Amino acid sequence: MEQITLRRPDDWHLHLRDGAMLRAVAPESARHFTRAIIMPNLVPPVVTGADAAAYRDRIMAALPQDTAFTPLMTLYLTEDTDPDDVAQAHGDGIITSVKLYPAGATTNSASGVRDFDKVRPVLERMAEIGCPLCVHGEVTDNEIDIFDREAVFIDRVLDPIRRTTPGLRVVMEHITTRQGVEYARSGGPDLGATITTHHLVINRNHILAGGIKPHYYCLPVAKREEHRLALRAAATSGDPTYFLGTDSAPHTDPLKEQACGCAGCFTATNTMSVLAEVFEQEGALDKLEAFTSLNGPAFYGLPVNEVQMRLVKGDPVSYPEKIATDDGPVTVFDPQMPLHWRVAE
Ligand code: NCD
Ligand code: ZN
C-alpha cells in the first residue's frame, strides 16, 4: 500500500459564510484542516474587532463538539477602518490579518476600497504592529480585460502600496497568473501568495469550451493553460513563498446556475485528494506538506500543526457530488479526473 504522512494542513483562505450555509460547510473544512483564515465578506461585512469576535463565536457554535478547528479571523478593510481598532483586535488575538478588496472586485465587495490613499494610515499601522494584509489582487476598471486584471493590479496598485509602506507583510491571495507567481517570488520574506486547489486543475477552457460551466466560474477567473502550469510549478516547488488557500467559496446551485451566476468553487470537501493527485502528477508528493502545512504557518509566524494526517493511495475515491444545506444544494468541485488518494487520519 502506498501512503504518505504529513502534518495536518491549514487553509489560508476560506469562505465559511453564515447561518445555514456556515453550519453545512464548516464541518467539511474542519474534517481535514486544523486552522483556516476566514474571509470577512459577509453581508454586512466583518469590519470591526467586535464583528470578528462575534463571527468567530458563530463559527465555533457551528462546529461539531469533538473537532479541533481554529478559525483565524480577518477584518474587511474599508475606507473608514479605524487603525486603533485594527491594532487592538490584532493585539488581543481576535484577528490574524486584514483583507483588502478593491470595491466591486468580487462577491460582496461593495464596501471595499476605492481610494487607496484613504487606507494608508491603517496600512502604516499594520506595518508597525506586524499585522499582515491579505489582498484580492484585481483591478476593477471596466476598460481592463477580465483576464488581465491581476497583472494590471500588480503594476498599478500592489507594487506602489508595497513601496510606500515598507515593512507591510502582504499575502497575494489566490494568484492565477504567471505574473502573480513571478512577482510573489521576487518580493522577499514580507510577501507570500496563496494558490487555490481549483486553479491547479482548471484553465479557462473548463469554464467556456463546449458550453458554459458555472461551477468552474470563480474570481479571479481561471486563465490560459500557461498560467495554470506556472501555478503548478510554484505550488509543487517547495518554495516557502507559496501556500494553500483553497478559496473554497460555496454558493447554492440556483445562485451559480442563473443568468448572472455567482463566482466561487466549493473545494472544502475533496481538496486533499485533489492536491495529492496533482502533486503526484508533478512528481512532487514530497513537497505537498510544505504547500499545505509548513509554508503558511511560517509566513504567519505560527507553530506548525503537531497532529499528522495519512493519505493512502488505492482505487479511485468518490465524493458526494453535492452537499445539502438548508439554503439549497452546493456542488462540490469536480476535478474531472479519478482521485486515488484518500485521507485516512
Ligand atoms: C468568493 C466568494 O464567493 O465570496 N468568490 C470567488 O470566486 N472566489 C470571493 C473571492 O474570494 O473573490
Ligand atoms: Zn475568496
Side-chain angles (χ1 to χ4, degrees):
M1 188 173 60
E2 237 188 293
Q3 60 171 40
I4 54 172
T5 305
L6 59 161
R7 288 177 190 271
R8 230 163 164 266
D10 302 304
D11 185 348
W12 301 96
H13 180 129
L14 175 65
H15 298 269
L16 285 181
R17 314 300 192 203
D18 217 338
M21 183 66 87
L22 166 64
R23 287 191 290 279
V25 300
E28 296 297 297
S29 285
R31 193 176 302 134
H32 295 159
F33 294 93
T34 295
R35 295 169 290 198
I37 289 271
I38 309 300
M39 288 297 122
N41 63 332
L42 305 181
V43 188
V46 178
V47 289
T48 64
D51 294 343
Y55 185 30
R56 184 174 62 182
D57 290 347
R58 298 199 295 283
I59 294 169
M60 295 315 291
L63 291 167
Q65 289 293 336
D66 55 345
T67 42
F69 178 80
T70 305
L72 304 172
M73 308 309 292
T74 62
L75 290 188
Y76 186 119
L77 181 63
T78 75
E79 293 177 4
D80 300 319
T81 297
D82 174 5
D84 290 337
D85 184 55
V86 170
Q88 170 116 34
H90 188 256
D92 290 348
I94 293 166
I95 63 159
T96 300
S97 66
V98 172
K99 177 70 190 253
L100 165 66
Y101 291 99
T106 187
T107 312
N108 306 333
S109 61
S111 336
V113 177
R114 268 162 240 281
D115 178 353
F116 292 92
D117 284 334
K118 294 217 173 110
V119 295
R120 177 148 318 184
V122 186
L123 300 184
E124 278 165 6
R125 181 69 82 81
M126 287 168 59
E128 264 167 50
I129 64 176
C131 177
L133 180 71
C134 294
V135 178
H136 182 108
E138 288 189 288
V139 291
T140 53
D141 318 34
N142 259 325
E143 317 84 78
I144 309 291
D145 189 279
I146 189 165
F147 293 100
D148 297 334
R149 288 180 180 191
E150 179 172 300
V152 172
F153 182 90
I154 293 170
D155 293 341
R156 286 198 194 163
V157 182
L158 182 57
D159 195 59
I161 285 180
R162 293 189 56 244
R163 282 174 199 281
T164 49
T165 326
L168 181 66
R169 314 208 62 231
V170 173
V171 183
M172 298 171 68
E173 299 282 72
H174 42 49
I175 54 171
T176 59
T177 58
R178 180 175 49 74
Q179 291 90 334
V181 166
E182 287 168 3
Y183 185 79
R185 186 186 292 125
S186 71
D190 285 340
L191 187 62
T194 57
I195 300 176
T196 75
T197 311
H198 49 284
H199 287 112
L200 296 173
V201 176
I202 63 168
N203 62 29
R204 62 197 203 175
N205 281 4
H206 288 77
I207 313 168
L208 296 170
I212 191 157
K213 316 288 189 338
H215 294 290
Y216 292 129
Y217 174 62
C218 67
L219 287 170
V221 70
K223 310 291 192 298
R224 284 176 180 277
E225 178 65 355
E226 71 162 290
H227 299 290
R228 185 184 75 102
L229 296 177
L231 295 170
R232 281 171 79 109
T236 59
S237 66
D239 184 327
T241 306
Y242 310 105
F243 38 95
L244 173 65
T246 66
D247 195 16
S248 182
H251 295 277
T252 60
D253 285 352
L255 292 175
K256 294 284 297 173
E257 300 167 5
Q258 60 177 335
C260 183
C262 292
C265 296
F266 179 68
T267 54
T269 304
N270 57 2
T271 272
M272 290 310 292
S273 286
V274 174
L275 289 177
E277 200 74 33
V278 166
F279 276 65
E280 184 178 40
Q281 288 165 356
E282 297 292 328
L285 273 174
D286 60 326
K287 302 292 194 328
L288 181 61
E289 184 180 41
F291 183 64
T292 62
S293 319
L294 305 179
N295 298 348
F299 181 89
Y300 278 96
L302 294 169
V304 294
N305 297 321
E306 289 305 331
V307 178
Q308 303 278 313
M309 167 181 277
R310 206 155 52 88
L311 289 161
V312 178
K313 188 176 181 185
D315 292 335
V317 274
S318 55
Y319 286 91
E321 209 177 302
K322 298 174 190 298
I323 63 159
T325 84
D326 287 348
D327 290 340
V330 172
T331 294
V332 176
F333 176 67
D334 174 7
Q336 292 188 3
M337 61 182 172
L339 301 176
H340 299 89
W341 293 88
R342 73 184 163 80
V343 177
E345 300 266 358

